[in-house]
C-alpha cells in the first residue's frame, strides 16, 4: 500500500504519476501525447489538454516549495511555443465554446500559485503572447455551466501578473453566471435548468470557488466569503458520499477523473475552512488516495487510463481524451500548503459517525451510509439537451454503491449486454428497456417517488424506501401490453473469494467475502403468473469497479392492466 501521511509521501506519489508521462512530451514540449483514442475535439487539442492538466498537480507542488528543473523547463518552453502565433507549435486561437478554455484554467493556476517558476522566467515577448492567448477567453462565449469559472481563473491570473488583458467586466459577468447557478443549501445546478447534482459540485464549482476565495479575499471579500459559506454547507453533506475504506460512490459523469472526487476537501484545507474537522478531512483524503493507489487505474507504464477502477473505454464520455484523467491531480492542491501547515502534523482520524440515512433535499437524493458502504439513492435522470454518453446508467438507476459500483450497457438486445444492475427492465419485443427520466419526482418522509415510462404504453410509479441494509422498491406498473420485467440488484464480482449464487422462484442472491446482495420479490396483488430468480452474467467490462460481474434479479410477468410488486434489496 502506498502511504499518504507526510508531505514527502504526497510528493513521491505525485511524481509516481508525473514521471510516467515524461517520455511523451512532443519535441517542442508544447504537447503531451498519452494515447490515440478519440474525443469530441481534435487530437491536437487533446494533446494540449494533457500538457495543461499536469499543472493541476505540478503547480501546487512548486508553490509548496518543490522543485523539478526538468518539468519546469518543459513548461516554460511549451508555454512559450504554444502561445506564440508565429511558432509552428502555436496552440491556435480559440473559438466560442472551445475546449482550450478548459485547459486555460490549469495554466492560470500555474501563474497564480508558482509565478516564480512558471511566469517570472518567461521572456517579455513570451509573457505578452501568453496573456494575449489567455485573454481570448474574454472575447468568446462559454457554456453557462461550471465553465464560467474558467473565465474567472483566467482573469484572476491576468490580474495577479499585472496584465492589461485583465477584464473586470468579463470577470463580473462570469461571477454573475456562477451565482445564477447556485440553488441553495450548498448546491449548484450545472447548465440550468438541465442539471444533475453530481461531482461537478465538489471538484468544479466549490473547488474553483475556494481558489477564488483564497486568491481574491482582499480585493473581493464579499464574494470570497460567499464561496466559503457555500462550501461549508456543502461539505457537511458531501461527506456522506464516502465510506471508511476510502471509496466514494461512483455516480454521474466524468468518473474517469477518479481521485478528484476528494479534491473538494483539499480545496477546503487550502482555503482555510473546516466544514469538517481538519483531522477528519485528512482522513478522508488519505484513505481515498490509498484506495486509488491500490487500483488498476494506470497502465503498465504508470500512465492514468480512461476508465474508473480499471481501464475502460465503454464508460467514457465523448470529452474523455487520453490526457483527460490528469484532472484527478486537483486533489494534490494540498501540496501548495507550507511545510509547517497543521495538515502535515495532524493525525488523520477514522471515518466520522453520523446519521446513517440522510436526505439531501436540494440534491434530490437520499444517502445511506453504514460506514462500510455509502449508497446513493437518486431521484433519477433529468432530460439533458447535450447527452454525453450513458446518462441513463450514470444517473437513472435506483441506487449507486461505493462497494459494488454500477454498470454501463453495451447494447440492449440482451440482459448480459445491458448489464442492468439496480434497475427495473422490461423486455419489449426483442429489446430491453429500463428506467429513464422521470416525469414526476417527490421526496418526502424518507422516501423517493418517481413516475417514469421505459417505453410507450408502459408507465411506472416507483417508491424507494431506504433501510440500514438496503432499500425496498414498490412498483405500480400500468401496461397496455403483456411483457416480462426484471427487478435487479447490485453487480457482484465473479472472481471474489468464496463467490456463490442462489435462486428460487422469488429470490436471487450473490455473495462472497466482499458482501452479499439479495433480491426478494413480493407479489402484492397475488396475480402474477410467473416469477423466477435469475443470475444475470453481465458482459465483461460493463461494471466500473470489476471487469466481470453477475447481477441477481427476479423475473416476473407483466399483464395488460395494473401490476403491483414490492422488491426488497438487501445488502451487507
Amino acid at each position: 500500500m502506498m502511504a499518504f501521511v507526510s508531505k514527502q509521501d504526497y510528493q513521491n506519489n505525485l511524481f509516481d504519476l508525473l514521471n510516467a508521462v515524461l517520455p511523451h512530451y512532443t519535441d517542442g514540449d508544447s504537447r503531451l501525447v498519452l494515447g490515440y483514442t478519440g474525443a469530441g475535439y481534435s487530437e491536437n487539442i487533446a494533446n494540449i489538454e494533457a500538457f495543461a492538466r499536469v499543472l493541476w498537480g505540478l503547480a501546487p507542488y512548486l508553490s509548496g516549495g518543490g522543485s523539478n528543473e526538468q518539468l519546469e523547463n518543459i513548461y516554460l518552453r511549451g508555454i512559450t511555443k504554444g502561445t506564440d502565433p508565429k511558432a509552428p507549435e502555436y496552440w491556435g486561437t480559440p473559438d466560442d465554446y472551445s475546449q482550450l478554455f478548459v485547459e486555460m484554467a490549469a495554466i492560470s493556476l500555474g501563474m497564480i500559485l508558482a509565478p516564480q517558476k512558471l511566469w517570472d522566467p518567461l521572456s517579455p515577448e513570451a509573457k505578452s503572447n501568453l496573456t494575449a492567448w489567455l485573454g481570448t477567453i474574454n472575447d468568446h462565449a462559454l457554456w453557462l455551466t461550471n465553465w464560467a469559472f474558467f473565465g474567472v481563473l483566467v482573469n484572476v491570473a491576468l490580474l495577479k501578473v499585472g496584465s492589461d488583458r485583465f477584464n473586470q467586466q468579463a470577470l463580473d459577468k462570469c461571477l454573475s453566471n456562477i451565482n445564477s447557478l447556485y440553488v441553495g443549501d450548498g448546491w449548484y445546478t450545472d447548465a440550468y435548468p438541465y442539471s444533475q447534482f453530481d461531482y461537478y459540485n465538489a471538484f468544479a464549482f466549490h473547488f474553483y470557488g475556494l481558489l477564488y476565495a483564497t486568491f481574491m479575499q482582499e480585493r473581493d471579500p464579499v464574494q470570497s466569503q460567499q464561496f466559503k459559506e457555500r462550501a461549508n454547507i456543502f461539505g457537511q453533506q458531501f461527506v456522506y458520499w464516502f465510506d471508511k475504506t476510502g471509496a466514494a460512490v461512483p455516480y454521474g459523469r466524468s468518473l474517469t477523473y477518479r481521485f478528484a472526487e476528494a479534491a473538494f476537501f483539499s480545496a477546503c484545507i487550502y482555503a482555510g475552512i473546516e466544514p469538517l474537522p481538519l483531522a477528519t478531512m485528512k482522513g478522508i483524503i488519505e484513505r481515498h488516495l490509498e484506495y486509488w493507489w491500490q487500483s488498476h487505474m494506470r497502465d503498465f507504464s504508470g500512465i492514468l487510463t480512461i476508465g474508473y477502477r480499471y481501464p475502460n473505454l465503454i464508460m467514457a464520455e465523448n470529452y474523455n481524451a487520453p490526457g483527460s484523467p490528469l484532472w484527478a491531480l486537483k486533489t494534490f492542491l494540498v501540496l501548495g500548503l507550507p511545510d509547517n501547515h497543521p495538515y502535515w502534523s495532524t493525525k488523520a482520524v477514522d471515518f466520522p459517525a453520523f446519521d446513517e440515512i440522510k436526505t439531501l433535499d436540494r440534491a434530490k437524493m437520499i444517502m445511506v451510509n453504514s460506514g462500510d458502504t455509502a449508497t446513493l439513492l437518486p431521484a433519477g435522470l433529468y432530460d439533458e439537451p447535450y447527452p454525453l454518453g450513458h446518462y441513463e446508467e450514470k444517473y437513472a438507476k435506483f441506487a449507486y454503491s461505493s462497494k459494488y459500483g454500477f454498470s454501463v450497457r453495451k447494447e440492449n438486445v440482451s440482459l448480459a449486454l445491458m448489464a442492468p444492475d439496480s434497475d427495473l427492465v422490461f423486455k419489449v419485443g426483442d429489446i430491453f428497456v429500463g428506467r429513464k427520466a422521470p416525469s414526476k419526482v417527490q421526496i418526502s418522509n424518507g422516501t423517493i417517488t418517481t413516475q417514469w415510462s421505459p417505453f410507450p404504453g408502459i408507465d411506472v410509479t416507483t417508491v424507494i424506501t431506504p433501510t440500514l441494509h438496503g432499500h425496498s422498491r414498490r412498483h405500480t406498473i400500468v401496461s397496455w401490453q403483456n411483457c416480462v420485467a426484471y427487478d435487479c440488484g447490485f453487480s457482484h464480482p465473479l472472481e471474489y473469494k468464496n463467490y456463490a449464487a442462489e435462486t428460487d422462484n422469488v429470490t436471487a442472491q450473490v455473495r462472497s467475502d466482499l458482501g452479499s446482495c439479495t433480491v426478494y420479490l413480493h407479489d402484492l396483488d397475488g396475480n402474477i403468473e410467473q416469477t423466477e430468480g435469475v443470475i444475470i452474467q453481465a458482459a465483461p467490462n460493463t461494471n466500473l469497479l470489476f471487469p466481470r460481474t453477475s447481477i441477481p434479479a427476479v423475473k416476473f410477468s407483466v399483464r395488460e392492466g395494473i401490476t403491483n410488486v414490492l422488491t426488497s434489496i438487501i445488502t451487507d
Side-chain angles (χ1 to χ4, degrees):
M1 179 186 297
M2 300 298 294
F4 284 90
V5 179
S6 69
K7 190 174 187 180
Q8 187 66 53
D9 291 335
Y10 282 73
Q11 292 173 333
N12 290 343
N13 288 317
L14 170 65
F15 275 88
D16 194 30
L17 298 174
L18 298 190
N19 288 335
V21 307
L22 275 175
H24 303 288
Y25 287 90
T26 55
D27 290 342
D29 290 329
S30 65
R31 290 160 175 81
L32 181 58
V33 183
L34 297 180
Y36 299 97
T37 55
Y41 38 89
S42 70
E43 181 180 345
N44 175 54
I45 291 180
N47 295 335
I48 297 168
E49 171 191 76
F51 170 89
R53 293 195 176 191
V54 168
L55 289 168
W56 287 114
L58 181 61
Y61 166 78
L62 297 176
S63 173
S67 179
N68 186 291
E69 185 176 352
Q70 183 178 12
L71 277 170
E72 291 167 33
N73 288 334
I74 285 173
Y75 276 83
L76 290 171
R77 286 194 299 267
I79 289 171
T80 297
K81 294 181 179 181
T83 59
D84 182 357
K86 302 185 298 295
E89 296 186 33
Y90 180 52
W91 289 334
T93 302
D95 296 320
D96 289 350
Y97 311 112
S98 172
Q99 178 69 25
L100 291 173
F101 297 141
V102 182
E103 313 319 323
M104 287 181 181
I107 295 169
S108 298
L109 183 76
M111 295 164 62
I112 298 167
L113 286 186
Q116 74 284 3
K117 299 283 190 177
L118 300 172
W119 170 257
D120 295 343
L122 294 172
S123 70
E125 181 183 8
K127 289 177 179 178
S128 178
N129 287 336
L130 172 56
T131 55
W133 185 76
L134 290 173
T136 60
I137 199 171
N138 294 326
D139 303 323
H140 292 285
L142 303 172
W143 299 114
L144 183 54
T145 64
N146 68 89
W147 275 45
F149 264 117
F150 304 144
V152 169
L153 291 177
V154 166
N155 277 291
V156 170
L158 294 174
L159 173 67
K160 293 296 184 181
V161 299
S163 171
D164 60 6
R165 298 283 180 169
F166 167 69
N167 187 321
Q168 183 67 56
Q169 184 177 1
L171 175 58
D172 291 342
K173 180 181 177 181
C174 287
L175 289 171
S176 176
N177 286 339
I178 291 162
N179 288 328
S180 75
L181 297 172
Y182 184 67
V183 297
D185 202 26
W187 293 88
Y188 291 86
T189 177
D190 205 10
Y192 182 84
Y194 308 100
S195 177
Q196 308 300 148
F197 295 98
D198 55 23
Y199 281 104
Y200 273 84
N201 266 270
F203 58 43
F205 283 103
H206 287 296
F207 185 88
Y208 301 138
L210 290 171
L211 289 179
Y212 183 88
T214 303
F215 306 145
M216 299 290 282
Q217 178 64 47
E218 292 186 7
R219 183 182 177 97
D220 187 2
V222 174
Q223 183 67 74
S224 297
Q225 184 60 28
Q226 197 168 59
F227 283 145
K228 289 182 179 181
E229 290 173 355
R230 293 172 183 174
N232 267 315
I233 298 169
F234 175 79
Q236 294 166 36
Q237 302 168 70
F238 186 52
V239 64
Y240 281 85
W241 290 42
F242 295 78
D243 68 31
K244 67 181 183 182
T245 72
V249 180
Y251 171 72
R253 66 186 179 98
S254 295
L255 292 174
T256 197
Y257 302 152
R258 295 183 173 98
F259 52 90
E261 290 167 334
F264 166 78
F265 294 109
S266 294
C268 289
I269 295 163
Y270 189 79
I273 67 168
E274 294 192 7
L276 305 170
L278 178 62
T280 299
M281 292 192 290
K282 186 175 185 181
I284 292 171
I285 294 170
E286 287 187 1
R287 289 187 295 271
H288 187 66
L289 291 172
E290 288 168 358
Y291 168 86
W292 279 109
W293 254 251
Q294 295 174 60
S295 75
H296 299 293
M297 64 181 177
R298 292 175 286 178
D299 65 19
F300 286 119
S301 65
I303 295 173
L304 287 171
T305 61
I306 299 171
Y308 195 66
R309 194 73 176 158
Y310 61 95
N312 188 340
L313 281 174
I314 298 172
M315 53 78 70
E317 286 90 14
N318 62 14
Y319 55 84
N320 291 161
S324 298
L326 289 167
W327 231 50
L329 300 181
K330 285 181 168 184
T331 302
F332 282 99
L333 180 61
V334 291
L335 282 177
L337 301 172
D339 293 351
N340 62 355
H341 190 279
Y343 182 79
W344 304 117
S345 57
T346 296
K347 180 177 174 57
V349 300
D350 292 338
F351 198 68
F354 42 55
D355 296 337
E356 291 187 336
I357 299 177
K358 175 76 169 178
T359 300
L360 307 184
D361 291 302
R362 191 69 69 170
K364 299 180 181 178
M365 62 184 64
I366 297 176
M367 301 299 304
V368 181
N369 196 315
S370 66
D372 293 319
T373 308
T375 305
L376 187 157
L377 307 172
L381 172 71
Y382 296 86
D383 288 322
E384 289 281 347
Y386 309 109
L388 297 167
H390 296 294
Y391 260 39
E392 290 176 9
E393 298 100 293
K394 293 173 181 176
Y395 295 101
K397 292 180 185 288
F398 295 124
Y400 295 82
S401 167
S402 63
K403 181 184 286 189
Y404 301 111
F406 71 89
S407 301
V408 293
R409 71 188 62 159
K410 290 185 174 180
E411 294 185 37
N412 64 346
V413 296
S414 73
L415 287 173
L417 290 169
M418 190 177 187
D421 52 355
S422 295
D423 200 356
L424 175 65
V425 296
F426 297 80
K427 185 177 183 183
V428 181
D430 294 327
I431 64 170
F432 293 85
V433 290
R435 193 185 191 208
K436 300 181 185 297
S439 59
K440 186 176 181 180
V441 173
Q442 181 180 0
I443 301 179
S444 64
N445 300 320
T447 65
I448 300 175
T449 302
T450 58
Q451 296 177 10
W452 55 283
S453 175
F455 193 83
I458 301 175
D459 297 301
V460 185
T461 299
T462 298
V463 181
I464 302 288
T465 303
T467 66
L468 294 182
H469 298 287
H471 63 276
S472 67
R473 310 168 186 167
R474 177 168 181 157
H475 307 293
T476 298
I477 304 164
V478 180
S479 179
W480 296 356
Q481 59 184 303
N482 297 335
C483 58
V484 173
Y486 297 79
D487 212 355
C488 308
F490 291 111
S491 295
H492 204 97
L494 287 169
E495 262 84 26
Y496 224 88
K497 186 177 180 181
N498 292 321
Y499 171 87
E502 295 178 349
T503 62
D504 59 30
N505 64 335
V506 293
T507 308
Q509 182 190 72
V510 288
R511 64 181 184 275
S512 71
D513 287 1
L514 177 66
S516 68
C517 178
T518 303
V519 181
Y520 180 72
L521 184 75
H522 308 258
D523 177 3
L524 295 178
D525 294 332
N527 58 7
I528 296 178
E529 298 177 3
Q530 177 187 358
T531 63
E532 178 187 3
V534 297
I535 305 296
I536 301 167
Q537 302 301 317
N541 306 318
T542 47
N543 186 271
L544 271 64
L545 299 186
F546 311 106
R548 300 181 65 245
T549 62
S550 65
I551 302 167
V554 176
K555 172 184 175 182
F556 61 96
S557 60
V558 175
R559 298 301 179 190
E560 183 178 352
I562 300 176
T563 302
N564 284 289
V565 296
L566 178 68
T567 305
S568 298
I569 311 294
I570 304 169
T571 62
D572 64 13

